[in-house]
Amino acid sequence: MGPFKVGEKTTKVPLIQGGMGVGISLGNLAGAVAAQGGVGIISTAQIGFREPDFDKNPVEANRRAIQKEMDKARKISPQGIVGYNIMTALREFKQHVEAAVLAGADIIISGAGLPMDLPALTAGSHTRIAPIVSTEKSANVLLKYWSRKHQRTADLIVIEGPEAGGHLGFKQEELELYSPEAYDEEIKKIIEVVRTYETKYNTKIPVILAGGIYDSADVKHAEQLGVDGVQVGTRFITTEECDADIKYKEAYLKAEEEDIAIVKSPVGMPGRAILNPFMKRVMLGEKIPHTPCHGCLSKCSPNEIPYCITDSLINAAKGEVDQALLFCGANAYKATRMETVKEVVDSLFDRK
């Protein structure tokens, strides 16, 4: 794997830092990764939670924070590659995309559903677009639709595997089917789909592998599968530059392998998280009281949910870890010490 292009810019290392909401990957972490030659990604999920008017006007608070966090990242890495992760499941997806383009995003990466209308929302801008797919079928459906409806293809593709953190692009039964070996074959099939559209549009579409990438051995394995780069999220949590509270980072350092489990988010999507006191209460069937609706996810019914995902993720970002949903990747338990972003990038690519 070598450097890949994002528009007119080129990475120095074949790395994207995964987008982690709420408040985990913001301008500080994204800027630090961009400064090391990777692609720094800011998550827009409830990005404005620290704004004074967030409870009363989350839409405007989020829009304002999208610009603020880009400004912060650009100050750290003026020439680096910085973009946003924007979930299609967000109720304000369209508004977040518009705000990200206005903020000068180099790229928008979008998952938690297939971003069918992303090309139209970014048309005429310099912002590149990258869907997250998890299966050959989803890659086929999306790229065929973009080609037919929008007469274009993806600028980059992220393949997110079953070992990723946070919401996963698989049903529960699919997660049980995919052994690492079985998913390697799925990755190769997705690459074949992408290469078809490279030929059709006479362009290079970098394919980036995400989910469970933690060390240089994982990077080498990804390279053997034929991808062009890797996306890493969990490994960056326990860095000094990560935007999360120190207590969130310490929860990763304390976690054992058996503490990490597949959980169900309030909207029914499976996800991976640390089993803390909060999640154990939820799994026992307790309904957790929550604040008035912040309008985050389009398919959420506030009166029916067992807990509020916004409340629980804000608690995580603030360090109230016993009352929080602590999303993590499958290898989070491997973290044993705090590192810098430079140390992580150096170790991933055996960089001296």
Side-chain angles (χ1 to χ4, degrees):
M1 294 187 297
F4 57 85
K5 289 181 76 68
V6 177
E8 299 304 312
K9 297 181 180 180
T10 304
T11 64
K12 291 177 183 171
V13 287
L15 169 72
I16 295 175
Q17 160 252 312
M20 298 170 283
V22 170
I24 308 302
S25 64
L26 297 175
N28 203 57
L29 177 59
V33 173
Q36 289 300 317
V39 179
I41 297 293
I42 298 162
S43 168
T44 71
Q46 301 297 54
I47 189 171
F49 75 98
R50 287 196 175 98
E51 293 291 300
D53 58 342
F54 176 72
D55 286 335
K56 292 181 179 177
N57 195 352
V59 174
E60 280 308 310
N62 286 331
R63 188 190 294 270
R64 201 180 311 123
I66 286 170
Q67 181 68 60
K68 282 185 179 180
E69 295 302 330
M70 177 59 78
D71 292 344
K72 194 188 298 181
R74 292 288 186 215
K75 194 170 182 181
I76 297 166
S77 181
Q79 304 304 319
I81 305 172
V82 182
Y84 295 90
N85 180 290
I86 307 177
M87 300 194 303
T88 62
L90 293 177
R91 195 171 292 179
E92 303 294 330
F93 175 72
K94 180 175 181 285
Q95 290 89 333
H96 282 214
V97 171
E98 289 169 350
V101 169
L102 199 62
D106 292 310
I107 189 167
I108 291 173
I109 297 174
S110 190
L114 295 179
M116 297 304 210
D117 297 324
L118 190 56
L121 296 174
T122 56
S125 75
H126 296 292
T127 301
R128 307 296 164 161
I129 54 176
I132 299 174
V133 297
S134 295
T135 61
E136 178 192 18
K137 181 181 178 182
S138 59
N140 241 324
V141 167
L142 183 84
L143 292 177
K144 189 180 289 184
Y145 182 86
W146 278 14
S147 185
R148 190 178 71 247
K149 179 77 183 287
H150 304 290
Q151 293 77 53
R152 66 158 297 172
T153 193
D155 297 303
L156 182 145
I157 294 276
V158 176
I159 302 174
E160 189 170 275
E163 293 194 325
H167 286 126
L168 302 171
F170 303 90
K171 295 174 182 173
Q172 186 73 40
E173 56 270 23
E174 289 176 322
L175 288 170
E176 293 161 8
L177 284 176
Y178 281 123
S179 65
E181 296 77 19
Y183 198 68
D184 282 356
E185 293 307 307
E186 191 73 17
I187 291 164
K188 292 173 184 175
K189 290 176 185 175
I190 297 170
I191 293 171
E192 285 180 25
V193 172
V194 176
R195 299 305 177 223
T196 301
Y197 284 89
E198 281 188 334
T199 303
K200 180 174 180 176
Y201 285 90
N202 191 28
T203 187
K204 173 66 181 169
I205 307 171
V207 178
I208 310 301
L209 182 59
I213 310 289
Y214 198 84
D215 55 29
S216 61
D218 298 324
V219 173
K220 289 183 177 75
H221 179 68
E223 186 172 19
Q224 289 164 1
L225 292 171
V227 299
D228 302 293
V230 292
Q231 178 175 289
V232 177
T234 291
R235 182 75 187 272
F236 286 112
I237 295 283
T238 47
T239 60
E240 292 172 12
E241 296 93 335
C242 177
D243 296 271
D245 187 271
I246 184 61
K247 289 178 183 174
Y248 185 101
K249 302 174 187 184
E250 288 170 349
Y252 271 52
L253 297 177
K254 292 172 186 172
E256 303 291 342
E257 188 171 6
E258 59 269 23
D259 296 327
I260 297 168
I262 301 296
V263 301
K264 190 181 282 188
S265 94
V267 290
M269 297 156 69
R272 181 174 279 105
I274 294 172
L275 281 178
N276 61 344
F278 173 83
M279 190 45 62
K280 288 174 182 175
R281 287 166 62 197
V282 170
M283 292 175 89
L284 286 171
E286 186 176 338
K287 193 168 182 178
I288 313 293
H290 57 79
T291 59
C293 182
H294 291 93
C296 59
L297 300 177
S298 57
K299 292 184 179 177
C300 181
S301 300
N303 296 328
E304 298 171 13
I305 54 173
Y307 66 96
C308 171
I309 196 162
T310 286
D311 288 353
S312 58
L313 291 174
I314 286 175
N315 286 345
K318 289 181 175 177
E320 297 167 12
V321 293
D322 287 344
Q323 288 82 47
L325 170 57
L326 303 175
F327 274 147
C328 69
N331 292 318
Y333 69 93
K334 292 183 179 180
T336 57
R337 66 182 181 89
M338 292 293 294
E339 299 177 277
T340 64
V341 163
K342 183 180 186 304
E343 286 175 320
V344 170
V345 177
D346 287 350
S347 74
L348 285 169
F349 298 99
D350 294 326
R351 203 169 66 168
K352 303 300 181 192

